[in-house]
Amino acid sequence: MYSDRSKPSPGEKDETRVNLEQARSKLKHVVFLIKENRTLDHMFGRMDGVNGATTGKTCDGTTVRLGRAPDDAPNIVHSFTAGIIAINGGEMNCFDRLSGDPMGPYLQYHRPDIPAYWAYAKRFSLADRFFSSVYGPTTVEHLWTMGGQSDRFVAIEHPDQAGTGAQGEFCKDKRERMHSFRKLSKLEKQDAFRLEELPDVKTLTERYWIDRWPCTSMKVLMDLLEKRSISWRYYMGGGIHQKAIKMIRHIRLGPMWSKVIHSERFPLEVRERRLPSVSWLTPPQGLTDHPSAGSICKGENWTVETLNLLMRSEYWDNMVVILTWDDFGGFYDHVPPPHVDLYGMGPRVPAIVISPWAKQGFVDSNTYDFSSVLKTIEELHGLPTLGARDARADPMWNSFDFRQEPLPPLLLKKRECG
């Protein structure tokens, strides 16, 4: 089941496979840095050389100009069903149905609004066909950043599903619930796929969704790393919806939980030379770039501080930071994502490959999603794939050149936030 309703954007493409021996000699540390809720058009749609847009379509076919986004942009509905509605079978024209203010999703930043993010994108490699793995939202996307699947889960946990204790206990509260696809036959999957294309989310959810305990035994990349004794840590920040790792039963309730560390300790880990081979890093709450939950200026400053720390460290010469955002946040994007399975892909999100070995000023137009980051790590360490999505994903080697003179650090200053 695969419907690729998107066409490659114009731009430089290179299908040559990387020499893995070169990659392994140059890259000893991978940091998968995940922020929140932005699309590529929203952040980089005005950048030269990028497949971006400055106008968008509404559900009635009207063309509207993308307004200038404020520092604290509105929080727009960005659920799984909202993603299906906005994509509208590949038409990419019903974002106005996601917000009380129909024009709320049609916003984008200019370069002076997010100067550091633009500086990283211009110096290193920006992927302009990097899609969120699923239609949304955050919790589900974060499962995909670890396992290339979500064990059928499709939602965040709402307060009325919080069980007997605090919301977000997941594996520690058997009365918590989360929306999920039920187990479907082949014919049912085909029907659900058709309903997403129409789209008919009412029939889709009534016919095929159930509520389940949000605790899963799905295999994640940490399991493969652990089996090969490859060091890893998960630096956990954000609010309850970013803490999807607490849904992985054998991690939350087993010895690997000792490798889940609060992200506020990340700077100390770097300074004390404890950075592992593979890191997942989510910022502290209020600094994730989540709309209406904190200034993007403050979130960008946290990113600058974190990347300055890494670029000044002994790790810089042999590392890569893959910086991305976890879902579309309800904001407009004009490129239709491939419909590869029941879960998406979802709208494009920015992804910047930051490394001495990144192609300088390069726009990578290969098709990627979060599974491509997993595939890159798997190939780097000679690991098997986890499942169908990462097995078919392209790794992100097209963004690298291991024969070039290494790029120097790009040390930036934090700016004053209003």
Side-chain angles (χ1 to χ4, degrees), residues 69-115:
D71 180 58
D72 191 5
N75 186 27
I76 300 161
V77 175
H78 49 279
S79 63
F80 192 92
T81 53
I84 294 172
I85 290 167
I87 290 167
N88 192 25
E91 294 297 318
M92 307 304 288
N93 62 350
C94 285
F95 290 79
D96 56 315
R97 292 181 57 191
L98 308 184
S99 173
D101 174 7
M103 293 300 100
Y106 296 88
L107 298 171
Q108 71 182 172
Y109 288 108
H110 295 209
R111 182 172 189 163
D113 304 324
I114 47 171

Side-chain angles (χ1 to χ4, degrees), residues 13 40-41 63 68 129 140 173 186 227 236 242 263 274 281 286 302 317 322 333 389 392 406:
K13 281 189 82 171
L40 191 127
D41 278 342
T63 298
R68 191 161 185 171
R129 277 184 59 83
V140 186
D173 186 348
K186 182 177 180 179
K227 187 174 182 179
M236 183 174 66
Q242 282 187 292
S263 59
R274 293 201 297 264
L281 174 60
W302 178 90
D317 291 343
I322 300 177
D333 193 84
R389 188 70 80 84
R392 69 172 294 277

Side-chain angles (χ1 to χ4, degrees), residues 6 38 55 70 93 102 147 170-171 274 276 297 342 344 370-371 396:
S6 75
R38 308 287 174 166
T55 62
N93 62 350
F170 301 126
C171 285
R274 293 201 297 264
C297 174
L342 290 182
F370 300 136
S371 302
M396 299 186 72

Side-chain angles (χ1 to χ4, degrees), residues 29-213:
H29 301 274
V30 178
V31 178
F32 192 3
L33 172 51
I34 307 161
K35 308 207 79 180
E36 285 199 279
N37 295 32
R38 308 287 174 166
T39 65
L40 191 127
D41 278 342
H42 174 69
M43 293 190 69
F44 299 112
R46 304 180 67 86
M47 182 177 285
D48 291 342
V50 171
N51 182 13
T54 57
T55 62
K57 295 283 189 180
T58 62
C59 221
D60 64 2
T62 302
T63 298
V64 298
R65 181 159 295 280
L66 302 185
R68 191 161 185 171
D71 180 58
D72 191 5
N75 186 27
I76 300 161
V77 175
H78 49 279
S79 63
F80 192 92
T81 53
I84 294 172
I85 290 167
I87 290 167
N88 192 25
E91 294 297 318
M92 307 304 288
N93 62 350
C94 285
F95 290 79
D96 56 315
R97 292 181 57 191
L98 308 184
S99 173
D101 174 7
M103 293 300 100
Y106 296 88
L107 298 171
Q108 71 182 172
Y109 288 108
H110 295 209
R111 182 172 189 163
D113 304 324
I114 47 171
Y117 287 139
W118 272 57
Y120 295 132
K122 297 292 281 186
R123 165 67 71 85
F124 300 105
S125 182
L126 173 68
D128 74 349
R129 277 184 59 83
F130 190 106
F131 298 92
S132 49
S133 287
V134 297
Y135 297 114
T138 286
T139 304
V140 186
E141 302 279 11
H142 279 260
L143 288 173
W144 284 75
T145 67
M146 295 181 281
Q149 61 151 315
S150 59
D151 191 17
R152 297 183 283 120
F153 289 107
V154 291
I156 61 172
E157 180 188 271
H158 290 282
D160 60 359
Q161 298 174 307
T164 59
Q167 187 180 1
E169 290 297 308
F170 301 126
C171 285
K172 291 206 165 183
D173 186 348
K174 291 186 177 181
R175 296 199 177 186
E176 290 189 6
R177 292 293 180 266
M178 185 178 286
H179 295 322
S180 163
F181 275 109
R182 61 177 172 84
K183 292 183 179 179
L184 304 181
S185 69
K186 182 177 180 179
L187 287 177
E188 288 173 329
K189 287 180 181 178
Q190 291 173 350
D191 183 50
F193 191 90
R194 178 186 63 85
L195 292 170
E196 291 177 353
E197 285 285 306
L198 286 174
D200 182 351
V201 297
K202 184 176 187 296
T203 304
L204 177 77
T205 57
E206 289 178 352
R207 190 174 290 176
Y208 295 122
W209 282 20
I210 60 172
D211 280 358
R212 292 166 54 209
W213 179 32

Side-chain angles (χ1 to χ4, degrees), residues 104-400:
Y106 296 88
L107 298 171
Q108 71 182 172
Y109 288 108
H110 295 209
R111 182 172 189 163
D113 304 324
I114 47 171
Y117 287 139
W118 272 57
Y120 295 132
K122 297 292 281 186
R123 165 67 71 85
F124 300 105
S125 182
L126 173 68
D128 74 349
R129 277 184 59 83
F130 190 106
F131 298 92
S132 49
S133 287
V134 297
Y135 297 114
T138 286
T139 304
V140 186
E141 302 279 11
H142 279 260
L143 288 173
W144 284 75
T145 67
M146 295 181 281
Q149 61 151 315
S150 59
D151 191 17
R152 297 183 283 120
F153 289 107
V154 291
I156 61 172
E157 180 188 271
H158 290 282
D160 60 359
Q161 298 174 307
T164 59
Q167 187 180 1
E169 290 297 308
F170 301 126
C171 285
K172 291 206 165 183
D173 186 348
K174 291 186 177 181
R175 296 199 177 186
E176 290 189 6
R177 292 293 180 266
M178 185 178 286
H179 295 322
S180 163
F181 275 109
R182 61 177 172 84
K183 292 183 179 179
L184 304 181
S185 69
K186 182 177 180 179
L187 287 177
E188 288 173 329
K189 287 180 181 178
Q190 291 173 350
D191 183 50
F193 191 90
R194 178 186 63 85
L195 292 170
E196 291 177 353
E197 285 285 306
L198 286 174
D200 182 351
V201 297
K202 184 176 187 296
T203 304
L204 177 77
T205 57
E206 289 178 352
R207 190 174 290 176
Y208 295 122
W209 282 20
I210 60 172
D211 280 358
R212 292 166 54 209
W213 179 32
C215 185
T216 173
S217 297
M218 60 181 264
K219 184 184 289 186
V220 290
L221 187 58
M222 295 79 161
D223 297 317
L224 305 183
L225 296 168
E226 193 77 7
K227 187 174 182 179
R228 294 283 184 87
S229 299
I230 298 165
S231 61
W232 66 271
R233 274 191 278 285
Y234 192 99
Y235 297 94
M236 183 174 66
I240 57 171
H241 301 314
Q242 282 187 292
K243 294 178 168 59
I245 195 168
K246 294 170 70 175
M247 294 173 61
I248 311 299
R249 180 185 288 110
H250 57 283
I251 292 183
R252 183 66 184 96
L253 304 178
M256 284 197 285
W257 187 249
S258 65
K259 298 184 180 181
V260 179
I261 299 169
H262 198 283
S263 59
E264 289 181 352
R265 288 182 54 188
F266 183 76
L268 183 64
E269 295 273 295
V270 174
R271 293 188 185 104
E272 296 190 353
R273 301 179 179 179
R274 293 201 297 264
L275 187 70
S277 296
V278 181
S279 304
W280 286 259
L281 174 60
T282 56
Q285 191 167 13
L287 300 172
T288 67
D289 295 348
H290 192 294
S292 81
S295 152
I296 198 169
C297 174
K298 293 178 181 177
E300 185 185 56
N301 278 348
W302 178 90
T303 305
V304 166
E305 187 173 23
T306 300
L307 291 176
N308 282 352
L309 172 71
L310 289 169
M311 290 180 186
R312 288 188 173 110
S313 76
E314 64 185 61
Y315 299 113
W316 171 247
D317 291 343
N318 298 104
M319 77 175 307
V320 58
V321 178
I322 300 177
L323 168 63
T324 190
W325 285 256
D326 64 13
D327 69 47
F328 78 117
F331 294 110
Y332 180 77
D333 193 84
H334 81 282
V335 176
H339 192 183
V340 299
D341 53 36
L342 290 182
Y343 302 91
M345 303 173 180
R348 287 188 307 174
V349 292
I352 309 173
V353 175
I354 300 170
S355 171
W357 309 107
K359 292 178 182 176
Q360 184 171 5
F362 181 67
V363 177
D364 188 345
S365 294
N366 284 0
T367 299
Y368 302 124
D369 76 314
F370 300 136
S371 302
S372 298
V373 182
L374 301 182
K375 185 69 164 285
T376 304
I377 297 168
E378 289 161 0
E379 290 197 353
L380 184 65
H381 290 287
L383 301 171
T385 54
L386 290 159
R389 188 70 80 84
D390 61 324
R392 69 172 294 277
D394 283 336
M396 299 186 72
W397 299 126
N398 192 41
S399 285
F400 294 87

Side-chain angles (χ1 to χ4, degrees), residues 15-32:
E15 302 296 343
T16 304
R17 299 291 293 184
V18 74
N19 182 319
L20 284 175
E21 291 306 312
Q22 288 182 335
R24 289 164 184 162
S25 70
K26 302 295 187 183
L27 295 181
K28 304 298 183 183
H29 301 274
V30 178
V31 178
F32 192 3

